[in-house]
Amino acid sequence: MTIELTRFDAAEALTQAEDQAELLADAFATGDVHVITQAIGIVARAHGMTELAKETGMKRQQLYRMLGPEGNPTLGSMLKLLPALGLRMRVEAAA
Protein backbone atom coordinates (compact mmCIF):
# COMPACT_ATOMS: atom_id res chain seq x y z
CA MET A 1 0.00 0.00 0.00
CA THR A 2 1.47 3.31 -1.10
CA ILE A 3 0.64 6.50 0.72
CA GLU A 4 0.39 9.52 -1.51
CA LEU A 5 1.33 12.80 0.11
CA THR A 6 0.33 16.23 -1.06
CA ARG A 7 2.22 19.41 -0.43
CA PHE A 8 0.70 21.71 2.22
CA ASP A 9 1.06 25.47 1.80
CA ALA A 10 0.07 27.39 4.91
CA ALA A 11 -0.40 30.52 2.78
CA GLU A 12 -3.36 28.86 1.06
CA ALA A 13 -4.98 27.98 4.40
CA LEU A 14 -4.55 31.38 6.09
CA THR A 15 -7.18 33.41 4.30
CA GLN A 16 -8.64 35.24 7.31
CA ALA A 17 -6.94 38.33 8.78
CA GLU A 18 -7.56 37.07 12.32
CA ASP A 19 -5.77 33.79 11.58
CA GLN A 20 -2.87 35.64 10.00
CA ALA A 21 -2.58 37.96 13.00
CA GLU A 22 -2.64 34.98 15.36
CA LEU A 23 0.15 33.27 13.41
CA LEU A 24 2.25 36.42 13.62
CA ALA A 25 1.53 36.92 17.33
CA ASP A 26 2.67 33.36 18.02
CA ALA A 27 5.77 33.89 15.89
CA PHE A 28 6.68 37.12 17.70
CA ALA A 29 6.17 35.37 21.04
CA THR A 30 9.04 33.03 20.17
CA GLY A 31 11.48 35.92 19.86
CA ASP A 32 13.19 34.02 17.02
CA VAL A 33 13.85 36.26 14.01
CA HIS A 34 13.76 33.30 11.60
CA VAL A 35 10.37 32.12 12.88
CA ILE A 36 9.00 35.67 12.67
CA THR A 37 10.36 36.18 9.15
CA GLN A 38 8.93 32.85 8.01
CA ALA A 39 5.50 33.73 9.44
CA ILE A 40 5.51 37.13 7.73
CA GLY A 41 6.49 35.37 4.50
CA ILE A 42 3.52 33.00 4.81
CA VAL A 43 1.13 35.90 5.36
CA ALA A 44 2.71 37.82 2.46
CA ARG A 45 2.24 34.85 0.12
CA ALA A 46 -1.37 34.53 1.30
CA HIS A 47 -1.92 38.11 0.13
CA GLY A 48 -0.06 37.61 -3.15
CA MET A 49 3.50 38.75 -3.70
CA THR A 50 2.79 40.57 -6.94
CA GLU A 51 0.02 42.66 -5.38
CA LEU A 52 2.14 43.23 -2.28
CA ALA A 53 5.03 44.44 -4.43
CA LYS A 54 2.73 46.98 -6.09
CA GLU A 55 1.35 48.21 -2.76
CA THR A 56 4.75 48.57 -1.08
CA GLY A 57 6.76 49.82 -4.04
CA MET A 58 9.20 46.96 -3.48
CA LYS A 59 10.20 44.42 -6.09
CA ARG A 60 8.79 40.90 -5.87
CA GLN A 61 12.29 39.41 -5.83
CA GLN A 62 13.21 41.74 -2.97
CA LEU A 63 10.19 40.55 -0.99
CA TYR A 64 11.01 36.88 -1.57
CA ARG A 65 14.66 37.45 -0.56
CA MET A 66 13.72 39.53 2.48
CA LEU A 67 11.16 36.99 3.70
CA GLY A 68 13.09 33.87 2.71
CA PRO A 69 15.05 31.47 4.94
CA GLU A 70 18.07 33.79 5.13
CA GLY A 71 16.01 36.98 5.14
CA ASN A 72 16.33 39.69 7.74
CA PRO A 73 13.83 42.49 7.04
CA THR A 74 14.70 45.97 8.20
CA LEU A 75 12.38 48.09 10.31
CA GLY A 76 11.83 50.34 7.28
CA SER A 77 10.75 47.36 5.21
CA MET A 78 8.41 46.19 7.95
CA LEU A 79 6.83 49.65 8.17
CA LYS A 80 5.98 49.38 4.45
CA LEU A 81 5.02 45.72 4.51
CA LEU A 82 2.70 45.44 7.52
CA PRO A 83 0.17 48.12 6.46
CA ALA A 84 0.05 46.57 2.98
CA LEU A 85 -0.84 43.29 4.70
CA GLY A 86 -3.60 45.02 6.66
CA LEU A 87 -1.61 44.70 9.89
CA ARG A 88 0.07 47.04 12.33
CA MET A 89 2.78 46.66 14.89
CA ARG A 90 2.01 47.48 18.49
CA VAL A 91 4.29 47.93 21.47
CA GLU A 92 3.13 47.40 25.02
CA ALA A 93 4.80 47.40 28.41
CA ALA A 94 6.22 44.09 29.52
CA ALA A 95 4.49 42.58 32.53
Side-chain angles (χ1 to χ4, degrees):
M1 181 169 151
T2 303
I3 297 174
E4 188 174 325
L5 302 176
T6 58
R7 202 163 187 77
F8 174 75
D9 185 0
E12 293 175 5
L14 290 171
T15 57
Q16 301 298 315
E18 295 82 17
D19 296 333
Q20 294 169 357
E22 187 173 339
L23 171 70
L24 291 174
D26 289 345
F28 274 97
T30 69
D32 184 326
V33 68
H34 297 294
V35 172
I36 295 166
T37 302
Q38 183 178 17
I40 294 169
I42 291 169
V43 173
R45 286 187 297 108
H47 280 264
M49 294 299 247
T50 301
E51 187 61 34
L52 196 56
K54 289 177 187 174
E55 290 181 42
T56 62
M58 303 167 95
K59 295 184 178 182
R60 242 174 23 103
Q61 296 85 352
Q62 180 184 5
L63 290 169
Y64 278 112
R65 213 175 20 254
M66 176 179 73
L67 299 172
E70 300 299 317
N72 190 10
T74 65
L75 179 60
S77 298
M78 293 301 295
L79 292 176
K80 288 181 185 178
L81 188 60
L82 291 177
L85 293 173
L87 301 167
R88 66 175 166 231
M89 204 176 319
R90 189 172 112 184
V91 177
E92 58 186 44

